[in-house]
Amino acid sequence: MPPQEPEQQQPLLLDSDQEEQQDTAYESDEKVLIIGIDEGSTSGSCRAPPFSWKKLWLFTGPGFLMSIAFLDPGNLEGDLQAGAIAGYSLLWLLMWATAMGLLVQLLSARLGVATGRHLAELCREEYPTWARMVLWVMTELALIGADIQEVIGSAIALNILSNGVLPLWAGVIITAFDCFIFLFLENYGVRKLEAVFAVLIGTMAVSFAWMFGETKPSGIELLLGILVPKLSSRTIRQAVGVVGCIIMPHNVFLHSALVQSREIDHSKKGHVQEALKYYSIESTVALVVSFIINLFVTTVFAQGFYGTEIADRIGLLNAGRYLQEKYGGGFFPILYIWGIGLLAAGQSSTMTGTYAGQFIMGGFLNLRLKKWMRALITRSFAIIPTIIVALVFDTSEGALDVLNEWLNVLQSVQIPFALIPLLFLVSREQIMGTFKIGPVLKMAAWLVAALVIVINGYLLLDFFSSEVNGVLFGSVVATFTAAYIGFIVYLVSRGANFSSWRRTVQPKTVAETVA
């Protein structure tokens, strides 16, 4: 038997004395080399080079992978319910919620580019063991909740495309194997993987645009829905859902790691500025595309079902059937168009969920595991409970809707555990150097975070006021609520007193040099 490589002999969990061996988002040979940046230039280390379409193309990718979380089956269900119940009236909110999500994701990318490390790694450095373990568990729970929705969405799509032959549980098992497809694609490099995700996003765009054309929505109502803010007591729950599902906790961690896939010289300020510029452009374009796709879905259901008796009953499980009954066959039955778009959304989001799980586990625990092992562990966390869910709720649309509400609550309660560390970290000069956010951006970011947290707090209060019954259950919920609020207070107080982060054995970044 041949001797093992030194890397394979490392312990799974490393301590602070082994920081030179710590887990990284990407190995150096996996990164995309950004060519043509300041070769032979001595002044380029301080100023970013002029704009280049070629470099923009080389930096394009991470933002589109990040944008998939805005298009997952959970978001699509929120879109169709908002359209069916509120009509066109919440399109303006969808636009502004996407803009708020963009701000958060740009801060996540900024953190990753300026420090050369991602959010989970920095949380490991800044928080004591007990706190970072709580953060890790909370983030994993949010990821599991999102993954269950995504896998169920894929299973529903497979059920539609197989004419009902494949039950939900079978679709879940088939979807479980996408992590191995993901690992297979990873072997061909980051750019090939990003190309596959681009095809899936394109499939969603074509499918939902086709549906948009089939339903012939009102252009005037659509434009008024985007430009004129409207909100009524009847649509408040859908409005809260539109904002609440835009920011996904695991996606905040994911984007700060995805930007590590490009090889840049972090010791030169101009290179970091250039990377931030291109990542900002491609992330903005990616979320504009995601907004348009979400708009297609919302307007299709607004045009077809707003004001009808079934508007309150439409969910992900029965949406395809109602579409088919409303619009019939045509050249290509709208049921299958919906199924193809939903399958692309489910498959792409489950694969990015697996990706996020790898970074989160590696960052918080500093585990040096083979990729297939980490992907298998991450996948198992979600697939096992999802199979149980599929078996229990396979024939019950109402029960599946209730489960979806619980999963939304599970993810909503985790949002502060991603936003609070992120905002404190990007505000610290000891960590970000000259790339720390200024007072205006800092105020805007905290306002967005406070708004999202308050809105999700409303969701939680509304949900538990209707679902929590009995003294024992109420006492348990009250206890967990007190602990939850206490931990948020701790994160805020700890963030206000962050110490300089520990330096690792790696080339100095601009942030470290300036700090």
Side-chain angles (χ1 to χ4, degrees), residues 152-162 168 338-344 346:
I152 290 291
S154 288
I156 291 172
L158 290 171
N159 178 267
I160 291 172
L161 296 175
S162 66
L168 285 188
W338 166 253
I340 291 170
L342 182 58
L343 182 63

Side-chain angles (χ1 to χ4, degrees), residues 80 156 160 301 305 313-325 334-335 338 342 397:
L80 67 88
I156 291 172
I160 291 172
F301 285 88
F305 304 102
R313 302 199 301 270
I314 297 180
L316 207 59
L317 192 60
N318 57 23
R321 185 176 76 247
Y322 285 133
L323 282 169
Q324 186 69 13
E325 291 173 356
I334 198 169
L335 172 67
W338 166 253
L342 182 58
E397 293 179 3

Side-chain angles (χ1 to χ4, degrees), residues 102-167:
L102 174 62
L103 174 60
V104 172
Q105 295 302 150
L106 289 179
L107 292 179
S108 175
R110 187 185 190 93
L111 180 73
V113 173
T115 65
R117 310 187 71 190
H118 58 82
L119 181 56
E121 291 177 306
L122 292 170
C123 285
R124 186 184 74 234
E125 295 290 338
E126 289 294 343
Y127 292 100
T129 301
W130 73 269
R132 85 161 180 266
M133 292 306 290
V134 172
L135 284 172
W136 172 62
V137 170
M138 291 298 186
T139 307
E140 288 288 358
L141 287 174
L143 181 57
I144 290 170
D147 214 5
I148 290 175
Q149 289 179 313
E150 293 155 0
V151 172
I152 290 291
S154 288
I156 291 172
L158 290 171
N159 178 267
I160 291 172
L161 296 175
S162 66
N163 283 321
V165 173
L166 285 175

Side-chain angles (χ1 to χ4, degrees), residues 160-232:
I160 291 172
L161 296 175
S162 66
N163 283 321
V165 173
L166 285 175
L168 285 188
W169 64 266
V172 168
I173 292 174
I174 292 172
T175 305
F177 288 99
D178 68 8
C179 67
F180 297 105
I181 298 173
F182 167 78
L183 291 171
F184 174 76
L185 293 172
E186 264 197 314
N187 291 330
Y188 287 91
V190 171
R191 296 294 277 175
K192 301 292 193 305
L193 185 66
E194 291 170 348
V196 171
F197 284 108
V199 170
L200 290 172
I201 293 173
T203 302
M204 282 185 269
V206 171
S207 298
F208 299 136
W210 191 328
M211 290 171 54
F212 182 83
E214 287 283 321
T215 55
K216 299 178 175 61
S218 168
I220 294 176
E221 288 190 63
L222 190 154
L223 192 61
L224 290 175
I226 294 175
L227 299 178
V228 181
K230 290 181 182 179
L231 196 60
S232 68

Side-chain angles (χ1 to χ4, degrees), residues 379-442:
R379 208 85 196 100
S380 299
F381 282 159
I383 291 300
I384 293 174
T386 305
I387 291 175
I388 296 171
V389 165
L391 289 171
V392 173
F393 299 106
D394 196 7
T395 59
S396 175
E397 293 179 3
L400 199 59
D401 287 339
V402 171
L403 171 71
N404 189 58
E405 289 185 15
W406 277 97
L407 293 175
N408 286 336
V409 167
L410 176 64
Q411 294 171 77
S412 295
V413 299
Q414 317 300 338
I415 287 178
F417 306 136
L419 290 186
I420 293 174
L422 172 68
L423 296 187
F424 276 119
L425 287 166
V426 295
S427 303
R428 295 289 295 175
E429 187 173 1
Q430 293 93 333
I431 293 171
M432 299 291 292
T434 57
F435 295 102
K436 73 170 185 176
I437 59 176
V440 175
L441 184 56
K442 183 177 179 180

